[in-house]
Amino acid sequence: MKPTQSDPTVQPVPASVVETVDAADTTLSNPCWAVLALGANLGNRLETLQGAVDALGDTPGLRVKAVSPVYETAPWGVEPGTQPSYLNAVALVKTTLPPSSLLERAHAVEEAFHRVREERWGARTIDVDIVAYADVVSEDPVLTLPHPRAHQRVFVLAPWHDVDPEAQLPGHGPVADLLAALGHEGVTPRADLELRLPE
């Protein structure tokens, strides 16, 4: 008797998936460093940032190795006073996930905290951006690496420099130099707030 529905576990694997897995082989046996920028300006901002850090820490193939101090920042790209200020931080992670899977996980974390993408630079409960992944430089429109505006954003560079003073942004040079050129205008350290590493 012929089955009415084929068993999905015996379907041929698409060639594109095989290529992706093969390309990730070196990553799987050799974890890479990645830098993630976190930002929130709606709801309980600190609680949401901590929840995002914890969710990243629960991701198979990913370990959060460092979390920066918290900064308060005026919203980017909008008229002053039209949005609440942001809390921003940076997480350094070591991961065996390829960049595309790390992006999927970042989006899943955003969705878990009800991130809505209705307008560019709109207010959001949480933003999880991949700033850099190892030394990868990619013009892929789905995931441009490093982040195309990271070198202009003090709210990314300042917390990143705090946790890794020797950091380099691929294609742009030392984070310390980029930060020195921009200054710290518009970002305020929040020493009264702290994010914890996942347990």
Side-chain angles (χ1 to χ4, degrees), residues 52-86:
V53 170
D54 291 343
L56 290 167
D58 285 340
T59 305
L62 186 152
R63 292 288 174 269
V64 180
K65 305 300 283 186
V67 181
S68 76
V70 177
Y71 283 78
E72 188 148 16
T73 310
W76 172 277
V78 298
E79 288 293 316
T82 59
Q83 283 186 28
S85 60
Y86 276 83

Coordinates of all heavy atoms in Angstrom, one line a residue, residues 52-86:
A52 N 16.9 39.8 26.7 CA 17.5 39.5 25.4 C 18.9 38.8 25.6 O 19.2 37.8 24.9 CB 17.7 40.7 24.6
V53 N 19.7 39.3 26.5 CA 21.0 38.7 26.8 C 20.8 37.2 27.3 O 21.5 36.3 26.8 CB 21.7 39.5 27.9 CG1 22.9 38.7 28.4 CG2 22.1 40.8 27.4
D54 N 19.8 37.0 28.2 CA 19.5 35.6 28.6 C 19.0 34.7 27.5 O 19.4 33.6 27.4 CB 18.4 35.7 29.7 CG 18.9 36.3 31.0 OD1 20.2 36.5 31.2 OD2 18.1 36.8 31.8
A55 N 18.2 35.3 26.6 CA 17.7 34.5 25.5 C 18.9 34.1 24.6 O 18.9 33.0 24.1 CB 16.6 35.2 24.7
L56 N 19.8 35.0 24.3 CA 20.9 34.7 23.5 C 21.8 33.6 24.2 O 22.3 32.7 23.6 CB 21.8 36.0 23.3 CG 21.2 37.0 22.4 CD1 22.0 38.3 22.5 CD2 21.2 36.5 20.9
G57 N 21.9 33.7 25.5 CA 22.6 32.7 26.3 C 22.0 31.3 26.2 O 22.7 30.3 26.4
D58 N 20.7 31.3 26.0 CA 20.0 30.0 25.9 C 20.1 29.4 24.5 O 19.6 28.3 24.2 CB 18.5 30.2 26.2 CG 18.3 30.3 27.7 OD1 19.2 30.0 28.5 OD2 17.2 30.9 28.1
T59 N 20.8 30.1 23.6 CA 20.8 29.6 22.2 C 21.9 28.5 22.0 O 23.0 28.7 22.4 CB 21.2 30.8 21.3 OG1 20.3 31.8 21.5 CG2 21.2 30.3 19.8
P60 N 21.5 27.3 21.5 CA 22.5 26.3 21.3 C 23.6 26.8 20.3 O 23.3 27.5 19.3 CB 21.7 25.2 20.6 CG 20.3 25.4 21.1 CD 20.1 26.9 21.2
G61 N 24.8 26.5 20.6 CA 25.9 27.0 19.8 C 26.3 28.4 20.0 O 27.1 29.0 19.2
L62 N 25.9 29.0 21.1 CA 26.2 30.4 21.3 C 26.5 30.6 22.8 O 25.7 30.1 23.7 CB 25.1 31.3 20.9 CG 25.4 32.9 20.9 CD1 24.5 33.6 19.9 CD2 25.0 33.4 22.3
R63 N 27.6 31.3 23.2 CA 27.9 31.6 24.5 C 28.1 33.1 24.6 O 28.9 33.7 23.9 CB 29.1 30.9 25.0 CG 28.9 29.4 25.2 CD 28.0 29.1 26.4 NE 27.8 27.6 26.4 CZ 26.7 27.0 25.8 NH1 25.9 27.7 25.1 NH2 26.5 25.7 25.9
V64 N 27.4 33.8 25.6 CA 27.6 35.2 25.8 C 28.9 35.3 26.7 O 28.9 34.8 27.8 CB 26.4 35.9 26.5 CG1 26.7 37.4 26.7 CG2 25.2 35.7 25.6
K65 N 29.9 35.9 26.2 CA 31.2 36.0 26.9 C 31.4 37.3 27.7 O 32.1 37.3 28.7 CB 32.4 35.8 26.0 CG 32.3 34.5 25.1 CD 32.3 33.3 26.0 CE 33.6 32.9 26.5 NZ 33.7 31.6 27.2
A66 N 30.8 38.4 27.2 CA 30.9 39.6 27.9 C 29.7 40.5 27.6 O 29.1 40.4 26.5 CB 32.2 40.3 27.5
V67 N 29.3 41.3 28.6 CA 28.2 42.3 28.3 C 28.7 43.6 28.8 O 29.3 43.7 29.9 CB 26.9 41.9 29.1 CG1 25.8 42.9 28.9 CG2 26.4 40.5 28.7
S68 N 28.5 44.6 28.0 CA 29.0 46.0 28.3 C 28.2 46.7 29.4 O 27.1 46.3 29.7 CB 29.0 46.8 27.0 OG 27.6 47.3 26.8
P69 N 28.8 47.8 29.9 CA 28.0 48.7 30.7 C 26.8 49.3 29.8 O 26.8 49.2 28.6 CB 29.0 49.9 31.0 CG 30.3 49.3 30.9 CD 30.2 48.2 29.8
V70 N 25.8 49.8 30.5 CA 24.6 50.3 29.8 C 24.8 51.8 29.6 O 25.3 52.6 30.5 CB 23.4 50.1 30.7 CG1 22.1 50.7 30.1 CG2 23.2 48.6 30.9
Y71 N 24.4 52.3 28.4 CA 24.4 53.7 28.1 C 22.9 54.1 27.8 O 22.1 53.4 27.3 CB 25.2 54.0 26.9 CG 26.7 53.9 27.1 CD1 27.4 52.7 27.3 CD2 27.4 55.1 27.2 CE1 28.8 52.7 27.5 CE2 28.8 55.1 27.5 CZ 29.5 53.9 27.6 OH 30.8 53.9 27.9
E72 N 22.7 55.4 28.1 CA 21.4 56.0 27.7 C 21.7 56.9 26.5 O 22.6 57.7 26.5 CB 20.7 56.8 28.8 CG 19.3 57.2 28.5 CD 18.4 57.3 29.7 OE1 18.9 57.3 30.8 OE2 17.2 57.3 29.5
T73 N 20.8 56.8 25.5 CA 21.1 57.5 24.2 C 19.9 58.1 23.6 O 18.8 57.6 23.7 CB 21.6 56.4 23.2 OG1 22.6 55.6 23.8 CG2 22.1 57.0 21.9
A74 N 20.1 59.3 23.1 CA 19.0 59.9 22.3 C 18.6 59.1 21.1 O 19.6 58.5 20.5 CB 19.4 61.3 21.9
P75 N 17.4 59.0 20.7 CA 17.0 58.2 19.5 C 17.8 58.7 18.3 O 18.0 59.9 18.1 CB 15.5 58.4 19.4 CG 15.1 58.8 20.7 CD 16.2 59.6 21.3
W76 N 18.1 57.8 17.4 CA 18.8 58.0 16.2 C 17.8 58.3 15.0 O 16.9 57.5 14.8 CB 19.7 56.8 15.9 CG 20.4 56.8 14.6 CD1 19.9 56.4 13.4 CD2 21.8 57.2 14.3 NE1 20.9 56.5 12.4 CE2 22.0 57.0 12.9 CE3 22.8 57.7 15.1 CZ2 23.3 57.2 12.3 CZ3 24.1 57.9 14.5 CH2 24.3 57.7 13.2
G77 N 18.1 59.3 14.2 CA 17.4 59.5 13.0 C 16.0 60.1 13.1 O 15.2 60.0 12.2
V78 N 15.6 60.6 14.3 CA 14.3 61.2 14.5 C 14.4 62.5 15.1 O 15.4 62.9 15.7 CB 13.4 60.2 15.3 CG1 13.2 58.9 14.7 CG2 13.9 60.1 16.7
E79 N 13.3 63.3 15.1 CA 13.2 64.6 15.7 C 13.4 64.5 17.2 O 12.7 63.6 17.8 CB 11.9 65.3 15.4 CG 11.8 65.8 14.0 CD 12.7 66.9 13.7 OE1 12.9 67.8 14.5 OE2 13.4 66.9 12.6
P80 N 14.2 65.4 17.9 CA 14.3 65.3 19.3 C 12.9 65.4 20.0 O 12.1 66.2 19.6 CB 15.2 66.5 19.6 CG 15.9 66.8 18.4 CD 15.0 66.4 17.3
G81 N 12.8 64.6 21.0 CA 11.5 64.6 21.8 C 10.4 63.8 21.3 O 9.3 63.8 21.9
T82 N 10.6 63.2 20.1 CA 9.5 62.4 19.5 C 9.5 61.0 20.0 O 8.5 60.2 19.8 CB 9.5 62.5 18.0 OG1 10.8 61.9 17.6 CG2 9.4 63.9 17.5
Q83 N 10.5 60.5 20.6 CA 10.6 59.1 21.2 C 11.3 59.1 22.5 O 12.1 60.0 22.8 CB 11.5 58.3 20.2 CG 10.8 57.8 19.0 CD 11.7 56.8 18.2 OE1 12.5 56.1 18.8 NE2 11.6 56.8 16.9
P84 N 11.0 58.1 23.3 CA 11.8 57.9 24.6 C 13.3 57.7 24.3 O 13.6 57.2 23.2 CB 11.1 56.7 25.3 CG 9.9 56.5 24.5 CD 10.0 57.1 23.2
S85 N 14.1 57.9 25.2 CA 15.5 57.6 25.0 C 15.8 56.1 25.1 O 15.0 55.4 25.6 CB 16.4 58.3 26.1 OG 16.0 57.9 27.3
Y86 N 16.9 55.7 24.5 CA 17.3 54.3 24.5 C 18.2 53.9 25.6 O 19.0 54.8 26.1 CB 18.0 54.0 23.2 CG 17.1 53.7 22.0 CD1 16.6 54.7 21.2 CD2 16.8 52.4 21.6 CE1 15.7 54.5 20.2 CE2 15.9 52.1 20.6 CZ 15.4 53.2 19.8 OH 14.6 52.9 18.8

